Amino acid sequence: MDNAFKYAPAATPIEVTGGVNGNALIFRVCDRGSGIPFAARDGVFTPFYRSPARASGAQSGGLGLSIARRLAEAQGGSLTYIDRDGGGAIFELRLPAATP
């Protein structure tokens, strides 16, 4: 969510959703920023990556998405980027759902 606030235009909504799909819990953070160029999509998940187009004044160590993806994978899940229809970004976290 922090990245959505940093990179999306100030007056645009940021949507956070969650739900269950089959045996997966799915959480999404959606913004209306400029999205991520195709060439940088894998890079944003590597440690210390800093976008050349980052928001002015945005402070970042470039570790958040890398750590989040590794934590998701350690739990048998995933963290991915999806282009948002109409512009913007969707980051989707999928985790295995446990049966009660």
Side-chain angles (χ1 to χ4, degrees), residues 19-78:
V20 178
N21 184 355
N23 62 350
L25 300 172
I26 302 172
F27 302 92
R28 291 185 183 113
V29 176
C30 310
D31 69 35
R32 289 290 181 195
S34 58
I36 298 174
F38 185 79
R41 290 184 187 168
D42 287 332
V44 298
F45 294 104
T46 59
F48 305 110
Y49 178 85
R50 309 261 322 252
S51 168
R54 71 173 191 243
S56 62
Q59 299 296 318
S60 172
L63 290 171
L65 289 173
S66 172
I67 292 169
R69 179 178 262 184
R70 288 183 182 185
L71 286 171
E73 290 172 347
Q75 298 175 69
S78 63

